[in-house]
Amino acid sequence: MSSAAPDLSQLDQLRARMQGMAGGMPRAALPVHPALSGVVQLYAGASYEVDGLGLAMTLLAGPSRAGEWCAVVGIPDFGVEAAAEAGVELSRTVLVPEPGEQWLEVTAALVDVAPVVLVRPGGRVAASVAERMGARLRKRAAVLLVQGEWPRCEARLGVEEPVWSGVGQGHGHLRARRAAVVVRRGAAPPRRSELWLPDPVAGARRAEPAVRALEEAG
Amino acid sequence: MTGVLEKRVLVVWCPDWPVVAAAGEAGLPDRLPAAVFHANLVQACNEPARALGVRRGMRRRDAQGRCPELAVLAASPERDARAFEDVLVAVEQLRPGIAPLRPGLVALRSPGRFYGGEEEAGAVLAERLVTLGVWDSRTGVADELFTAEQAARRARSQESLVVPAGGSPDFLRTLPVEVLDDPDAVSLLRRLGLRTLGDLGRLRAADVRDRFGSHVAWVHRVVGGDGAVHLPTRTPPPELERHVDFEPPLDSAETIVFSARRTAEAFVAGLAQQGLVCTEVRVEARCEGEDPEGRPASVRSWLHPRFFTAADLVDRLHWQLQGGFRAGDVSRPVERVRFVPETVVPDAVHADVLWGGTDERVERGIARVQGMLGHDAVVVPVLQGGRGPADRQAWVPWGERPTGLRPTGPPWPGSLPPPAPARVLRTPWPAEVYDAARRPVALDDRGALSADPAVFRPGPDEDRQPVAAWAGPWVVEEQWWESGGRRVARFQVVGVDGRAWLLTLDGDVWWTEAGYD
């Protein structure tokens, strides 16, 4: 798989260039965690639905490692230690755990200062609101990650078929989780990639398909 | 409209201003040694006192020991600002649009050749200040603010020091690092063996910014000759001005300032919505019964070396009104206060260009959120030592220093091995755990489970499901939820859907503390 990863990222780059030609403005790609390179590419100005807080943290880690600020809105159960393990730089992270009714205004204000904002919406979002937020995101070249539903998002990311390793019946402890990260873009068929998320060493790591085959075989 | 830093900058410095202000109010002649004390320590002293060995930060008893005839004056920031008001009026007559930096220090755009030259302008100013009773004033002129201030501090009394255009690097290179006004940075620079700004200038820009922050990084750029930035200023659209009417009209500066506070906030917020900050503002106060089309009783333009926050605007209004009431410009109660932006710049450009980083912008955006929700609503996450996941993290309100954190260093017996759970619930959920015979699972006195867990439900909104795998118990004695110090046991439980949870058994009650999402 290690040889396939660069191909995928090349594909993504080509796709971005095509989109750039079609849409006029080329869109800047945000740095991603190495484990997600070729799996997910975040583009400035877009919003993404992300299912699973661990995956969202890994997505924050890319820009955060590259020196950017991250903001997290409306997620009081954001596990700080897990975020640090995923590679999020805590000193450049701000949380607004309880924004209450004003979560949308708070999110909009933070889009102005942080290129990546993770939000759990405090209510239903109208398409017009999402449109206005989209304009703001494009102006600020920021990315919105949403834990929940968001109209007309660029892609939906999720974690499926999680399998924890290291734990048995009353012995061992949770060590790592192998799961499929699934990216759904519009009507296109979903793209699945096997990942260790979390991984005890790298925070997250691409999984070799052979291992699963072996596990299944024996 | 030109930007505050597009042209040459002139800085006027009145040394030992707190002493000048206090002695002036007390009617003391300025030849006598005098010092202003705050919390029993010398905050400022004048030249005669310095000559006798009085120093800043000295205790009162020591200062009086060296100089028994020392006039002891109490510190009062309001008095300092009030007394400086006269100086601001005089400086403003030289050229409209001034940027008071603090009492005793004011910057303005250099009037250039209007008075025959920059030194001549300084002389005109010094002369005017003498008529106000301010005998010691010094001016510095340079390409940008930092150099101009340093030049003013090195000028002789009633004289000007002019740093020629492009001459900032040469002028600054020989100055000691102590001029940085940042004790931490100065201490570190000295320990590194860097004694002058020239030494600092030889460091790599990225290193300076990482290690010393945006202010020192900015000075570093100035020393390198890149300090004079040309900001893309523009004339602001008229709808950005804000005003407030008073009914009935108000006649005290304090009440007016208090009532105009919200308007100042709305003014800054209105600019911010357009991605702008204001570097020059016109503040107007109109009196009762004035011609609404005529010139208001009090009009003044203010500049800011960076950009105006709501608090800055309120300060400027306060100074302006106090001066106006005393000078008689504002002779009747005030019925309207208006803020008009004269020069605005895009906030991103301003932050990036002027301070070499986006941190200022981050601070401003966060201040806005704090304005909406309250100071404690925005937090910075930090790690600390502890056993349970909730104990191992803390939230520190933005802008405050973390205090009272447990060290992460020593091992915490009974803590769980990594990975840490992604979701740490603020309030644990009540959980249910049953064995294969549908009896609740409990812990006996020796810390053993009554039976293996077979079915569980992590919370009221979660489905009940079979246990696929589990680990534990990790038993600790601790202050646990709603009870005194007691023994609790933690378990990691994986459901058949593949999701894992951290459950806690306290006596015979199960809670869900965290989720491995």
Side-chain angles (χ1 to χ4, degrees), chain A residues 77 79-80 95 112 168-170 174, chain B residues 361 379 422-424 468 470 492:
Chain A
D77 51 349
V80 177
L95 311 183
D112 286 354
Q169 295 298 321
L174 295 176
Chain B
R361 202 173 121 195
V379 296
R423 298 181 66 186
V424 178
W470 63 280
Q492 292 174 331

Side-chain angles (χ1 to χ4, degrees), chain B residues 78-79 82 94 121 124 132-133 146-147 169 202 243 271 286 293-295 313 353 379 399 451 467 478 493:
Chain B
E78 294 79 30
R79 178 193 57 213
R82 203 166 57 230
L94 199 68
V124 169
L132 296 170
F146 179 78
T147 313
R202 277 192 288 276
H243 68 264
L271 288 164
R286 188 180 288 284
E293 301 303 316
R295 190 186 140 88
L313 283 174
V353 174
V379 296
V467 172
E478 67 176 41
V493 181

Side-chain angles (χ1 to χ4, degrees), chain A residues 53-54 57 69 76-77 79-82 85 93-97 102 106 112-113 136 164 167-170 172-175 177, chain B residues 361 365 368 372-373 377-379 381 392-393 395 398 417 419-424 426 468-471 492 498 500 516-517:
Chain A
L53 198 48
M57 286 171 175
W69 282 78
D77 51 349
V80 177
E81 195 173 15
E85 283 173 3
T93 304
V94 290
L95 311 183
V96 183
Q102 303 199 57
V106 169
D112 286 354
V113 298
R136 193 153 191 155
W164 280 94
V167 63
Q169 295 298 321
H173 65 85
L174 295 176
R175 201 175 292 277
R177 178 179 66 168
Chain B
R361 202 173 121 195
R368 218 154 96 212
M372 287 185 228
L373 301 175
V378 186
V379 296
R392 295 175 65 82
Q393 63 184 44
W395 294 344
W398 173 264
R423 298 181 66 186
V424 178
R426 291 299 284 173
W470 63 280
Q492 292 174 331
Y516 293 84
D517 196 13

Side-chain angles (χ1 to χ4, degrees), chain A residues 1 4-5 8 15 35-40 55 156-163 178-185 188-196 205-209 212 216:
Chain A
M1 199 65 196
L8 279 172
R15 198 169 286 145
L36 291 177
S37 122
V39 177
V40 186
L55 176 59
R156 295 182 165 80
L157 320 176
V159 179
E160 293 179 5
E161 298 164 33
V163 177
R178 193 191 163 102
V181 171
V182 185
V183 182
R184 292 188 172 82
R185 242 175 243 277
R191 273 179 47 198
R192 306 168 64 85
S193 319
E194 292 285 324
L195 252 74
W196 288 102
R205 183 163 62 88
R206 286 297 284 271
E208 301 76 12
R212 173 154 278 196
E216 278 163 7

